[in-house]
Amino acid sequence: MRFLGMELGHPVINASGTFDAIAARRAFGDALLERFPFAAFVSKTVTLEPRQGNPPPRLWELAGGMINSIGLPNKGLAGYLEHDLPQLAELPVPLIVNVMGFTREEVGELVAAFAERDEVAALELNVSCPNVETGMIMGADPRETAALVEHVRPLTRKPLIVKLTPNCTSPGDVAAAAEAHGADAVSLINTLRGMAFHPRRPGVPWLGGGTGGVSGPAVRAVALAQVAEVRARVEVPIIGMGGVQSGRQAWDVLQAGADVVAVGTESFRDPMAGARVAAELRETLAASGIAPAADAVRREPIPHNA
Ligand code: RRO
């Protein structure tokens, strides 16, 4: 299928930050390249300057998923270009680079730098990380999002995907603002802000960052409702994600209005989850007499109360 100018072998990709392709290549060698689980690879968020990330502990397991407070550890733009990009360019699928800045200008610098790189097929703007120390999330406000997209749009001809937050009043308003100012696609959902307390120290937050982002099956119903809400507001393609563990659940995300599905938290349990979900999705579609997946995507808005 074609998606944002990329040729995808199937409609399942990864959610940013949930699959470390460089570590996986070290662990599995070239077998990873022969059986890469995703149709495109979205890399972990890159910031302009290197970051250590949040203090530990960074993870808390829930009955229906987990809470992370990773805090964007990364090598920064220069480190990414020198160390990560050459390795990620060897993957057998298109590369989507996820970037985040603390100001519009910072995001602009990142976008302009990647605009030059042929290895990069598309850019995802992370306006939705719940784990930044400022607590400020550009993607919670349609006007901030509009101003950001307007600022970076002239800096690249590559497809721009805006990663939306569920932690706002109206993801539909934010998506519409992104589309109106030049976004080529939107992706959702990022994690829902949550917290957990230390099991032996009453009242003390477990996570080093205090709060974190909830992901996994616990957020699947929220993701479906938000994808449906956004589908009713925009024409651009949607990358839908949130708690998908099976082909049947991926099909639900497509039914809600997504064009492509991302697998996130499930890859921590099974690094090949993306390939399994893609195979199950193919079977689900074949069993219902619908194929290929891209033609099956529901176009008309489905009822919702947003
Ligand atoms: O690194 C993180 O803590 C993180 C990021 Br950038 C994000 O976008 N979503 C998330 O749950 N964690």
Side-chain angles (χ1 to χ4, degrees):
M1 62 182 282
R2 296 289 292 176
F3 180 72
L4 299 178
M6 298 174 260
E7 189 58 41
L8 304 188
H10 56 76
V12 180
I13 69 173
N14 67 300
S16 174
T18 59
F19 187 91
D20 185 339
I22 294 172
R25 174 95 189 268
R26 269 199 302 273
F28 301 114
D30 287 348
L32 178 77
L33 306 186
E34 285 147 26
R35 288 186 57 220
F36 196 71
F38 305 106
F41 181 71
V42 187
S43 67
K44 169 126 183 88
T45 301
V46 187
T47 54
L48 212 45
E49 301 301 330
R51 286 175 57 92
Q52 294 291 325
N54 285 346
R58 291 175 166 183
L59 290 179
W60 174 262
E61 199 173 331
L62 298 171
M66 65 184 205
I67 315 179
N68 85 79
S69 178
I70 309 296
L72 302 112
N74 77 100
K75 301 184 181 95
L77 175 62
Y80 184 92
L81 291 174
E82 188 183 343
H83 300 290
D84 292 3
L85 189 57
Q87 298 184 68
L88 296 175
E90 289 180 8
L91 298 177
V93 295
L95 175 64
I96 301 172
V97 176
N98 179 303
V99 299
M100 196 205 110
F102 292 91
T103 62
R104 260 171 239 153
E105 289 67 31
E106 275 191 26
V107 183
E109 275 190 56
L110 288 155
V111 167
F114 286 114
E116 308 281 306
R117 306 302 299 238
D118 290 342
E119 305 94 318
V120 178
L123 289 164
E124 185 172 61
L125 307 181
N126 188 359
V127 295
S128 50
C129 176
N131 297 329
V132 289
E133 48 290 270
T134 59
M136 184 210 64
I137 299 178
M138 281 188 215
D141 178 359
R143 281 163 308 187
E144 284 288 330
T145 304
L148 174 70
V149 179
E150 196 171 62
H151 178 71
V152 302
R153 181 66 279 180
L155 304 175
T156 182
R157 295 163 67 126
K158 293 189 194 291
L160 284 176
I161 305 162
V162 175
K163 176 91 175 256
L164 303 173
T165 176
N167 304 305
C168 70
T169 312
S170 170
D173 285 351
V174 179
E179 177 182 61
H181 289 83
D184 297 292
V186 292
S187 53
L188 70 153
I189 59 175
N190 205 323
T191 52
L192 280 154
R193 177 164 291 142
M195 83 185 289
F197 284 103
H198 195 293
R200 291 173 299 282
R201 294 165 62 192
V204 176
W206 171 261
L207 294 165
T211 60
V214 180
S215 65
V219 310
R220 199 165 56 236
V222 176
L224 289 176
Q226 296 207 356
V227 169
E229 178 187 335
V230 169
R231 178 76 286 158
R233 298 289 304 278
V234 300
E235 295 287 324
V236 291
I238 295 174
I239 302 171
M241 71 200 86
V244 170
Q245 295 180 299
S246 70
R248 174 63 226 207
Q249 292 163 2
W251 174 227
D252 286 346
V253 176
L254 296 177
Q255 288 283 297
D259 300 75
V260 162
V261 181
V263 170
T265 302
E266 183 68 358
S267 295
F268 290 114
R269 198 162 64 171
D270 169 13
M272 290 307 286
R276 176 177 56 74
V277 169
E280 290 172 4
L281 176 60
R282 213 165 16 246
E283 286 162 22
T284 303
L285 293 169
S288 53
I290 308 164
D295 295 341
V297 174
R298 179 170 191 147
R299 280 283 148 215
E300 71 278 19
I302 62 175
H304 65 92
N305 297 320

